[in-house]
Amino acid sequence: MRLSFEFFPPRTPQGRAGLLGVAERLNRFRPAFFSVTYGANGSTREGTADTVQRLLDHGMATAPHLSMGGDDEEQIQALVDEYLGAGVRRIVALRGDSSSDVGSARFLNNAEALVRVIRSHCGDALQLEVAGYPDVHPEAASPASDLEFLKRKVDAGANGIITQYFYHPYAFFDFRRRAEAAGIGVPIVPGIMPLTNFARFVRFSKDCGADVPRWLYKRLEAYREDERALQEFGIDVVTRLCQDLIDAGVPGLHFYTLNRWGATTRICENLRLPADPAADHS
Ligand code: FAD
């Protein structure tokens, strides 16, 4: 089971100081890599590179996210060279969420273009992961065209797919089945978002177009005044989701940790994923 844990670059000195501790706690599950997001239009260029470097310095395999955003080809190539020099062996290649005023011009800079730029610059020196959408990308003209763009990213040289989070396993199974039927042969790893806070979860889901099933919304809403009970419920729901996915043979799990270790750790423990007891912090 390939595990990976996603972080965002911390915005405060306290966040920066705390993140290594979070990574150390999660590292006991022996993840294949940690990944670090890249803000829209390169807004966290330094923050992402700095976070990646600090994780690498502590011996943790780390994959920066990278998007075309505000960067031109040469800037992308320079950043890729920097990462290669630092020991990065995997990048999550994305279009990125640019501001809506860019309009349709943003499609010129899609993730397929980024995969092509990176591949033509450094050959096979990097594993490239791209994003997939079991609930269909909100800007997709249709599920079929969404899949077509995914296939183009893979044909351009992506080695694997990490999905947006979702809460109905059948959405993932349907997506995987359609991807395989379309000739997409690379591993598809589901993205997992632990449920820990009602307002934040609803906001994120709205922003990224992830579907929140009505039953789940209603159940979480009922716990909105009781964060502890919501967290217990969330851990239970997400553990069951992960178990269904594991039973269906997924090659890995990618956790959107939001720079926290608690819920992700509980879920991994519930799933009895192999952990290194020597590194147990609990
Ligand atoms: P693309 O694959 O280029 O496009 C997404 C969809 O847009 C396509 O499936 C297709 O439906 C449509 N589309 C693309 N090109 C065209 C075209 N030429 N014509 C018509 N339609 C088109 N965002 C960040 O800003 N920073 C991050 O670090 C980040 N990390 C992420 C990690 C994961 C695992 C995932 C799943 C998402 C992440 N995102 C991140 C969000 C992502 O940037 C957004 O979902 C973005 O809107 C699409 O990015 P993409 O790489 O999937 O784009």
Side-chain angles (χ1 to χ4, degrees):
M1 175 69 38
R2 185 193 93 178
L3 284 184
S4 48
F5 299 118
E6 181 174 309
F7 294 145
F8 58 82
R11 285 179 278 267
T12 62
Q14 295 93 313
R16 273 191 288 282
L19 191 64
L20 275 179
V22 175
E24 273 166 16
R25 284 178 182 271
L26 293 172
N27 206 31
R28 63 184 269 244
F29 294 105
R30 297 180 226 138
F33 62 96
F34 292 89
S35 83
V36 184
T37 63
Y38 193 69
N41 296 324
S43 58
T44 66
R45 196 175 220 277
E46 281 79 33
T48 299
D50 176 64
T51 307
V52 167
Q53 187 64 60
R54 288 188 321 123
L55 291 165
L56 289 171
D57 288 346
H58 283 76
M60 300 176 195
T62 306
H65 295 205
L66 186 51
S67 62
M68 292 291 261
D71 294 337
D72 62 23
E73 242 178 87
E74 278 177 17
Q75 285 170 308
I76 293 286
Q77 289 166 351
L79 193 51
V80 165
D81 286 342
E82 218 178 280
Y83 282 142
L84 277 169
V88 165
R89 293 295 170 261
R90 186 188 306 258
I91 279 180
V92 183
L94 303 143
R95 184 192 69 194
D97 275 323
S98 46
S99 59
S100 52
D101 57 3
V102 182
S104 60
R106 73 219 309 241
F107 288 137
L108 298 175
N109 287 338
N110 66 11
E112 178 198 347
L114 179 58
V115 170
R116 287 191 189 286
V117 167
I118 298 175
R119 274 282 171 259
S120 69
H121 182 60
C122 69
D124 290 334
L126 287 165
Q127 288 272 119
L128 296 180
E129 306 286 334
V130 292
Y133 300 88
D135 289 337
V136 183
H137 190 276
E139 289 162 17
S142 68
S145 97
D146 208 23
L147 201 63
E148 201 180 305
F149 282 105
L150 181 65
K151 176 138 175 28
R152 281 162 60 158
K153 291 192 279 194
V154 173
D155 290 347
N159 306 99
I161 295 163
I162 301 174
T163 77
Q164 186 56 277
Y165 66 85
F166 55 89
Y167 290 98
H168 201 309
Y170 192 75
F172 179 85
F173 300 148
D174 178 63
F175 171 73
R176 183 174 64 175
R177 186 184 51 73
R178 290 189 301 115
E180 285 167 1
I184 293 175
V186 299
I188 304 180
V189 172
I192 305 295
M193 175 73 94
L195 295 163
T196 53
N197 176 287
F198 179 71
R200 191 171 53 216
F201 168 65
V202 171
R203 192 179 66 243
F204 277 177
S205 302
K206 192 161 173 269
D207 287 350
C208 73
D211 182 48
V212 182
R214 183 182 159 83
W215 67 271
L216 184 57
Y217 182 94
K218 290 287 178 192
R219 294 276 276 132
L220 291 170
E221 190 181 32
Y223 287 123
R224 67 189 309 171
E225 302 303 331
D226 187 347
E227 191 134 315
R228 211 183 157 81
L230 183 144
Q231 285 175 7
E232 290 303 316
F233 169 73
I235 285 165
D236 185 47
V237 167
V238 176
T239 298
R240 286 165 197 267
L241 171 67
C242 292
Q243 190 62 62
D244 285 348
L245 294 166
I246 291 170
D247 292 346
V250 294
L253 298 170
H254 177 83
F255 283 89
Y256 296 103
T257 70
L258 303 181
N259 293 6
R260 289 154 193 255
W261 58 270
T264 300
T265 295
R266 289 271 308 279
I267 294 163
C268 291
E269 285 172 350
N270 288 347
L271 294 168
R272 301 189 193 291
L273 296 176
D276 181 358
D280 193 349
H281 289 260
S282 55

